[in-house]
Amino acid sequence: MTTTTDIVAKLWGLCNVLRDDGVTYNEYVTELTFLLFLKMLEETGRESRLPEGLRWCILAKREGMEQLDYYKAMLLELGKAKDGLVSAIFTDAQTRLRKPTNLKALTSNIDQLDWFSAREEGLGNLYEGLLEKNASDKKSGAGQYFTPRPLIDCIVRLMKPQPGEVVQDPAAGTAGFLVAADHHIKNQTDDLYTLPEAQAFFQRHNAFVGGELVPDAHRLCLMNMLLHGIEGGVENIDTLSPDGETIPKANLVLTNPPFGTKKGGGRPTRTDFSITADTSNKQLAFVEHIVRALKPEGRAAVVLPDNVLFEDNTGRRLRTWLMDLCNLHTILRLPTGIFYAQGVKTNVLFFQRGKTDKGNTKAVWVYDMRANMPAFGKTRPLTVADFADFEKVFGDDPNGNAKRQDLGEESRWRCFTRQQITDRNDNLDITWLRDTEAEAEEHLTEPEDIAAAIIGHLKAALEEIEALSDELEPDSVDEAAAVAEAAE
């Protein structure tokens, strides 16, 4: 067990203490974020970013109610700090702790950790390990903010982010994609040391941008980025509102946008949306944002649920528009059970923005990683090795221009021309292998995996119902109401 893994296990073990104080799992990680931020600034010699008198050593030395009162006042003051990143992390920050003994338990245990070894292995790795632990725990409900790291790493390897490029995630969550892209670039540049100073500054301050709607997820996002040497760049905004138009355009978009519909049936309020302005389907609206966010010849890899591939009306118009403006060169059909908090069937769409607005997609290559695959979950976690065959056939060109070969109907890798897709009414939900998903699910043994599979099927059904309801024209609704009234 590495030092980082050991520390993560110890920190996570403290949550059992806090449950007696009414602190939920997700609140616990937010609470830890506040405390770890203060401790890590001390460990890295960067406490000058904090206002005078607000230091970890002062907090840690106090006892009883005096410590809890000081901590509460400290959070309020940090939310007003002049340092933009500090104030962003602590904006509206409140502690859920009520018992002084629990705060003392946290500060004492954090002080006793092996911080020297943690610094050697990387404080960012420690924090990301904590986020992964939180996301993998079903009770925390945090999986909605966490894309499995093997999937992220596969996508980043294929998309090859480069120094000097702007990388965007419009639904950043805890910044998994952005941190992985940063890591990829640092591996190419000896941790940025081979870059000119101006370009290294750009990488730290301007290369990674995006938005995150949920305030607590935004805090985790900023903390994760900071500990990996990235200063800000992700705003606490609704990307589907006019605020989303202010996110800088990108050379590369990597994202796993939220699934489902906007609460209350709300529509995007973006002034630049023309395709999805009248739908409450969030993932369709995010696709329009991504296409509009790409610079000419910019590229994207986006995790999307199945309904984006087959939904009619707005969905079909969006797919046609996407294939006109972009070269949609590859679709990866992902297996079920790979997401911690949901069993919804998903795909990764890989595309490049064209120089023109017509006819950019000539053919779409599809890799089926879902049919005849084991049921992934707690007993069979997703690994980097699971993507090896897909990465091989994808090739080394991030825009799908590597030499490719259709391996036939018995294989997982097929090519479909634009005309063939047109003949399918631009339906991209393409399958050809016999799907033994149900047989794989029969071998699940962990209650959590079985429950996730059931929830996944229910969510998929609800998605289809919501999509149908959303796409009903007002005339159809009025007609249905009239029929129902006549039947009475």
Side-chain angles (χ1 to χ4, degrees):
M1 180 180 288
T2 65
T3 300
T4 295
T5 306
D6 183 51
I7 291 177
V8 168
K10 289 178 179 177
L11 288 172
W12 191 250
L14 292 174
C15 70
N16 295 320
V17 176
L18 300 186
R19 279 185 301 174
D20 294 334
D21 212 356
V23 179
T24 67
Y25 283 87
N26 224 29
E27 291 171 340
Y28 168 63
V29 174
T30 301
E31 199 81 55
L32 265 187
T33 295
F34 298 149
L35 295 171
L36 287 174
F37 180 83
L38 299 171
K39 178 61 176 175
M40 288 174 175
L41 286 186
E42 179 187 71
E43 291 295 324
T44 55
R46 291 187 283 176
E47 285 188 300
S48 59
R49 302 188 69 155
L50 301 174
E52 287 294 330
L54 302 178
R55 298 288 189 273
W56 170 263
C57 63
I58 301 174
L59 172 66
K61 287 178 181 177
R62 301 203 174 195
E63 303 281 347
M65 203 64 204
E66 181 190 5
Q67 185 188 42
L68 184 57
D69 289 340
Y70 174 80
Y71 180 48
K72 290 178 179 178
M74 191 180 195
L75 293 179
L76 289 174
E77 290 302 314
L78 290 172
K80 298 181 285 186
K82 292 181 180 179
D83 186 293
L85 186 59
V86 173
S87 63
I89 288 177
F90 288 94
T91 296
D92 298 325
Q94 293 181 338
T95 180
R96 298 295 192 270
L97 299 174
R98 293 174 295 176
K99 298 176 182 177
T101 53
N102 287 335
L103 177 58
K104 192 63 184 178
L106 280 177
T107 56
S108 297
N109 279 276
I110 288 173
D111 254 341
Q112 293 167 11
L113 296 175
D114 183 359
W115 287 102
F116 175 80
S117 297
R119 287 196 303 273
E120 290 295 303
E121 292 188 16
L123 296 179
N125 294 335
L126 187 158
Y127 190 69
E128 200 164 7
L130 185 65
L131 295 177
E132 184 170 6
K133 180 67 175 175
N134 186 40
S136 63
D137 193 299
K138 306 291 186 191
K139 298 173 185 175
S140 77
Q144 61 182 310
Y145 307 129
F146 199 92
T147 307
R149 190 56 190 256
L151 174 58
I152 289 177
D153 288 344
C154 166
I155 291 172
V156 169
R157 281 193 298 273
L158 294 175
M159 289 292 97
K160 295 179 169 56
Q162 299 297 312
E165 292 188 323
V166 175
V167 182
Q168 181 191 130
D169 186 343
T174 55
F177 275 114
L178 299 180
V179 165
D182 173 68
H183 183 69
H184 181 87
I185 292 170
K186 285 176 176 173
N187 280 344
Q188 298 177 63
T189 60
D190 189 22
D191 203 26
L192 307 183
Y193 284 111
T194 62
L195 298 178
E197 181 54 38
Q199 195 169 1
F201 180 89
F202 171 83
Q203 290 303 134
R204 296 188 192 99
H205 297 269
N206 305 114
F208 303 99
V209 300
E212 171 51 46
L213 175 63
V214 181
D216 280 344
H218 183 245
R219 294 185 211 279
L220 306 184
C221 171
L222 293 181
M223 178 73 163
N224 199 18
M225 293 172 69
L226 174 69
L227 294 176
H228 284 88
I230 309 170
E231 291 279 340
V234 175
E235 302 296 328
N236 182 202
I237 59 173
D238 179 358
T239 299
L240 302 183
S241 77
D243 290 338
E245 299 174 45
T246 67
I247 303 175
K249 288 189 179 296
N251 304 96
L252 173 61
V253 175
L254 303 170
T255 190
N256 177 11
F259 303 160
T261 59
K262 286 182 72 69
K263 291 182 179 179
R267 304 305 197 246
T269 55
R270 291 276 292 267
T271 60
D272 60 338
F273 277 14
S274 60
I275 308 298
T276 61
D278 294 326
T279 182
S280 61
N281 186 314
K282 288 188 292 189
Q283 54 266 29
L284 295 182
F286 267 102
V287 172
E288 180 164 3
H289 163 82
I290 293 161
V291 173
R292 297 189 182 281
L294 287 173
K295 296 180 180 182
E297 298 189 286
R299 60 201 186 282
V302 189
V303 181
L304 294 165
D306 274 12
N307 72 290
V308 173
L309 303 184
F310 63 74
E311 187 174 313
D312 207 356
N313 300 318
T314 301
R316 180 184 177 187
R317 289 194 298 272
L318 180 71
R319 293 190 298 274
T320 303
W321 178 76
L322 167 66
M323 288 186 284
D324 273 341
L325 269 64
C326 302
N327 175 21
L328 174 61
H329 52 82
T330 310
I331 296 175
L332 169 62
R333 293 176 63 84
L334 290 169
T336 57
I338 67 172
F339 288 95
Y340 293 116
Q342 53 198 350
V344 177
K345 296 178 180 179
T346 54
N347 314 266
V348 185
L349 272 60
F350 299 85
F351 52 90
Q352 181 186 28
R353 181 71 189 258
K355 292 182 179 179
T356 64
D357 290 347
K358 283 290 183 182
N360 279 288
T361 298
K362 307 299 183 185
V364 178
W365 291 78
V366 182
Y367 188 92
D368 191 341
M369 193 177 164
R370 186 182 306 167
N372 308 319
M373 290 292 284
F376 290 88
K378 190 172 183 178
T379 53
R380 173 61 169 91
L382 189 70
T383 68
V384 171
D386 291 314
F387 294 100
D389 185 61
F390 169 63
E391 292 184 35
K392 181 179 179 180
V393 296
F394 184 99
D396 60 4
D397 187 305
N399 296 312
N401 294 320
K403 186 176 180 180
R404 293 174 167 184
Q405 180 181 355
D406 188 320
L407 299 179
E409 292 185 359
E410 300 301 315
S411 76
R412 297 187 181 277
W413 184 236
R414 301 291 312 281
C415 180
F416 299 88
T417 66
R418 183 67 183 89
Q419 184 58 53
Q420 287 176 306
I421 294 169
T422 299
D423 294 342
R424 294 172 48 86
N425 295 318
D426 287 348
N427 184 323
L428 293 169
D429 188 28
I430 303 171
T431 60
W432 62 93
L433 294 173
R434 190 174 80 86
D435 191 351
T436 58
E437 176 194 355
E439 295 175 18
E441 289 181 355
E442 289 177 2
H443 297 288
L444 294 174
T445 57
E446 289 287 334
E448 289 181 355
D449 292 341
I450 296 170
I454 295 171
I455 291 171
H457 290 302
L458 291 173
K459 284 187 175 182
L462 286 173
E463 286 286 340
E464 293 182 28
I465 293 170
E466 287 178 346
L468 177 61
S469 174
D470 187 55
E471 292 299 331
L472 283 173
E473 299 293 335
D475 291 345
S476 301
V477 175
D478 293 341
E479 183 179 340
V483 171
E485 186 177 347
E488 293 177 357

